[in-house]
Amino acid sequence: MGKIKVALAGIGNCASALLQGIEFYKNNPENTVGLMHPELAGYRPEDIEVVTAFDVDERKVGRDLEEALFAEPNCTQVFWKNIPDYQVKVEMAPVLDGVSPHMKEYDASRAFIVKEAKPCDVVKVLKESGAEMLINYLPVGSEEGARFYAEACLEAGIGFINAMPVFIASDAQWEKRFRQRKIPIIGDDVKSQLGATIIHRVLTNLFERRGVKLENTYQLNFGGNTDFLNMLNHQRLVSKKKSKTQSVQSQLAAPLSPGNIHIGPSDYIRWLDDQKICYIHMNGLGFGQVPLTVELKLAVEDAPNSGGVMLDAVRCMKLALDRGIGGVLTSISAYTMKSPPVQYTDGEAAQMVEEFIVGKREH
C-alpha cells in the first residue's frame, strides 16, 4: 500500500501523541495493544506520513516537526522519544480566533505565545506538500479557525478531518459543498478510545436497553493541559458543551430536559498535566420505580486516548479517496466523533465501519 499524506493544523498534545503512536507501532509491529484496527484494508499505522504542519506558537513555528512535538506548552506523556526527521518545518498559520485573551494571565509553560510573523499561504502550502487530507486539531472555541481550514481543504481539494467541536461535517451547507466537490469529510469533535463521552454514552444506552429510566446525570472533567486552560474562558465552551451533551442525549429515546443533564469541562488543575479526571453520576429508576445510582471515576492521559481513534479516521478517509467518494463519511464519523451528522449507538457505528472497510457501504 502507498503512503497516506497528512497535514496537521495545531501541533499540540494530540498531534504529539498521534505521531509518537505511529512510530511506536512501526517499531513494534507485533504489539497491537491500543489499536482498534492494526490493519485497515491493507493500511497500517506506519503508512501515515505527515507532510506539512501549521501552528502559531513561537516555540513551534519554524522548528522541525519532530522538535515541535515536544515543545511547550505540550505536556502529554512521552511514550516514544525516537521521532525521525520528517523533513517538515512547522508553518506559521493565521491566528484568527485560535488564542483566547485570558492565556496572557497564565504561566507560559501552559499558555500560547503567538509568534510575530506573517502567516503562510495555507492553501499553497497544502498543494505543494502533496497532502491528501488535513486533521484539524485547533483549540476548543476556534470557530473561525475551523471554518478557515475547512475552506482551505476545499480550495486545495483535500479531505478534512475535524477533530474539534465546531459543526462543519454535521452542517448541511458545508456537507453539500464537500459532496459537490467529491471531497471526503469526517467530523465533528473526536471521541476518545475510552473517554468520558463514550463511557457515558454506553452507560446511558445500557439504562435504556435494560428498562431503567435515567432521571438526571452529570459529567465533570478536570485536567492540567492547555486545552483545559483554554476552556476556562467559558465563551469558548458553547460548541464543546453542546457536542458532548448531544452525544449522550442521542442514546435516549426521550432526551432529558436541560435542567437534568450537565456535561462539560469543569476546571483547570495545573499539576494534572495531560491527565484528565472525569466523574460521571447517574440517577435512575428501576424495577418498581426503586431508585438506583451509578458513580464512576475515569483517569486517563488525554491526548493518547484519541490516538487510536484518529488512526482509524485517517485510514478510512484514505479509503474514501482511493474510491473517489466525497461528502461526509457517515460510518467512520459516527464511530470516531461525538457530533456526527447522524448519531448511532456505538455498536451500530462499529458494524457500519466494518461494512465500509470491505466496501459494502459507500459512506
Side-chain angles (χ1 to χ4, degrees):
M1 307 298 288
K3 288 292 184 181
I4 306 172
K5 297 183 178 181
V6 175
L8 298 175
I11 312 304
N13 288 311
C14 287
S16 178
L18 178 66
L19 269 63
Q20 287 184 59
I22 290 170
E23 297 304 323
F24 174 86
Y25 291 109
K26 181 171 78 173
N27 287 276
N28 297 275
E30 301 305 315
N31 189 342
T32 60
V33 173
L35 295 177
M36 295 183 291
H37 290 90
E39 185 176 296
L40 195 154
Y43 290 108
R44 298 186 58 82
E46 61 266 28
D47 294 323
I48 299 171
E49 176 185 3
V50 176
V51 294
T52 193
F54 306 94
D55 206 278
V56 300
D57 195 288
E58 68 176 21
R59 293 160 292 187
K60 298 175 183 177
V61 174
R63 296 184 69 178
D64 292 334
L65 177 58
E66 59 272 17
E67 297 176 356
L69 293 173
F70 303 112
E72 290 183 338
N74 291 7
C75 62
T76 192
Q77 181 177 325
V78 178
F79 58 88
W80 190 261
K81 296 180 179 179
N82 300 322
I83 305 297
D85 182 357
Y86 291 112
Q87 297 292 302
V88 170
K89 296 282 187 183
V90 178
E91 301 279 353
M92 179 65 191
V95 178
L96 303 173
D97 58 350
V99 178
S100 177
H102 81 284
M103 287 278 182
K104 296 178 181 179
E105 304 170 11
Y106 288 86
D107 183 356
S109 67
R110 282 293 181 275
F112 298 122
I113 304 175
V114 177
K115 185 176 179 65
E116 295 184 8
K118 181 181 177 180
C120 69
D121 183 331
V122 171
V123 174
K124 181 181 178 183
V125 171
L126 288 173
K127 288 181 176 179
E128 292 178 348
S129 71
E132 299 173 278
M133 66 191 74
L134 178 140
I135 303 173
N136 176 27
Y137 274 140
L138 294 189
V140 169
S142 303
E143 302 271 340
E144 185 182 355
R147 290 190 286 270
F148 170 85
Y149 279 105
E151 194 70 54
C153 287
L154 283 169
E155 290 186 41
I158 67 172
F160 183 56
I161 301 178
N162 185 31
M164 62 167 296
V166 175
F167 306 119
I168 295 178
S170 53
D171 179 88
Q173 293 303 313
W174 276 107
E175 194 280 333
K176 181 180 179 181
R177 294 181 66 196
F178 275 87
R179 178 164 33 86
Q180 289 177 335
R181 293 286 307 278
K182 294 186 178 180
I183 298 171
I185 177 172
I186 297 171
D188 299 303
D189 194 11
V190 68
K191 183 165 56 182
S192 293
Q193 192 166 5
L194 197 67
T197 297
I198 193 165
I199 290 176
H200 207 163
R201 280 169 57 94
V202 169
L203 287 173
T204 300
N205 182 263
L206 183 64
F207 270 55
E208 192 85 357
R209 288 179 174 271
R210 303 295 285 182
V212 176
K213 181 184 178 184
L214 181 61
E215 292 277 271
N216 47 58
T217 184
Y218 65 70
Q219 180 195 126
L220 306 178
N221 298 285
F222 310 88
N225 59 26
T226 305
D227 190 36
F228 277 91
L229 174 58
N230 169 62
M231 291 187 291
L232 286 180
N233 181 348
H234 286 187
Q235 292 180 344
R236 302 178 70 86
L237 279 181
V238 176
S239 293
K240 183 69 172 179
K241 286 179 67 67
K242 181 178 179 181
S243 177
K244 288 176 72 69
T245 301
Q246 68 186 15
S247 186
V248 173
Q249 291 271 45
S250 71
Q251 304 302 294
L252 293 167
L256 295 172
S257 65
N260 284 320
I261 183 169
H262 175 88
I263 299 177
S266 302
D267 213 342
Y268 165 71
I269 302 172
R270 168 68 174 77
W271 60 264
L272 285 175
D273 293 332
D274 193 42
Q275 185 179 186
K276 174 180 175 179
I277 306 294
C278 167
Y279 291 96
I280 294 174
H281 184 100
M282 306 173 76
N283 291 317
L285 295 176
F287 187 74
Q289 295 204 348
V290 176
L292 62 83
T293 296
V294 172
E295 286 193 332
L296 179 146
K297 175 186 176 181
L298 171 71
V300 62
E301 193 78 2
D302 202 18
N305 203 16
S306 68
V309 173
M310 189 55 69
L311 289 180
D312 279 15
V314 168
R315 290 179 289 173
C316 281
M317 176 158 284
K318 176 60 174 173
L319 286 185
L321 291 167
D322 291 344
R323 297 169 182 172
I325 298 169
V328 169
L329 303 183
T330 306
S331 54
I332 192 64
S333 291
Y335 186 54
T336 62
M337 300 288 159
K338 297 184 185 76
S339 293
V342 183
Q343 293 276 8
Y344 296 91
T345 68
D346 294 286
E348 290 171 336
Q351 181 59 40
M352 290 166 62
V353 169
E354 298 306 320
E355 293 171 0
F356 172 78
I357 291 170
V358 298
K360 292 183 178 179
R361 179 182 291 271
E362 184 178 3
H363 293 92

